[in-house]
């Protein structure tokens, strides 16, 4: 995450330059801990590794398609970001 913040700040993305670094650190720290706890929760639901693998692939593929459909208009819009 520090590399992510440093790279975003170096190339001048507004999200990283306009927000306080301490707030960003707290946000990313909480987000990473939530991801870990979600992984433990989901690991307790699956007893078979193959089922977990298939559902993970379907989830990644499905969210990729969903994001492609939802954000297609933002990518094609010439005024974004304004």
């Amino acid at each position: 995450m520090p590399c992510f913040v440093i790279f975003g700040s170096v190339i001048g993305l507004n999200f990283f330059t306009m927000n306080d670094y301490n707030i960003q650190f707290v946000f990313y720290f909480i987000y990473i801990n939530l991801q870990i706890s979600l992984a433990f929760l989901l690991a307790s639901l699956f007893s078979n590794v193959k089922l977990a693998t298939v559902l993970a692939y379907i989830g990644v593929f499905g969210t990729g398609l969903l994001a492609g459909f939802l954000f297609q208009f933002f990518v094609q819009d010439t005024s974004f970001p304004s």
Side-chain angles (χ1 to χ4, degrees):
M1 293 313 299
C3 293
F4 183 65
V5 173
I6 290 169
F7 182 73
S9 298
V10 168
I11 64 172
L13 292 175
N14 288 338
F15 178 79
F16 297 105
T17 56
M18 293 178 65
N19 294 313
D20 186 24
Y21 291 112
N22 294 326
I23 295 172
Q24 291 182 39
F25 174 76
V26 170
F27 176 76
Y28 296 137
F29 183 75
I30 292 171
Y31 178 75
I32 290 169
N33 284 324
L34 286 173
Q35 291 293 317
I36 293 169
S37 63
L38 180 66
F40 280 118
L41 175 68
L42 291 178
S44 68
L45 297 177
F46 297 112
S47 60
N48 189 357
V49 175
K50 290 183 182 181
L51 176 64
T53 304
V54 168
L55 289 178
Y57 277 118
I58 290 172
V60 169
F61 186 68
T63 55
L65 286 175
L66 182 65
F69 290 132
L70 291 177
F71 293 118
Q72 178 180 6
F73 302 109
F74 289 120
V75 173
Q76 293 176 349
D77 189 11
T78 58
S79 65
F80 183 78
S82 56

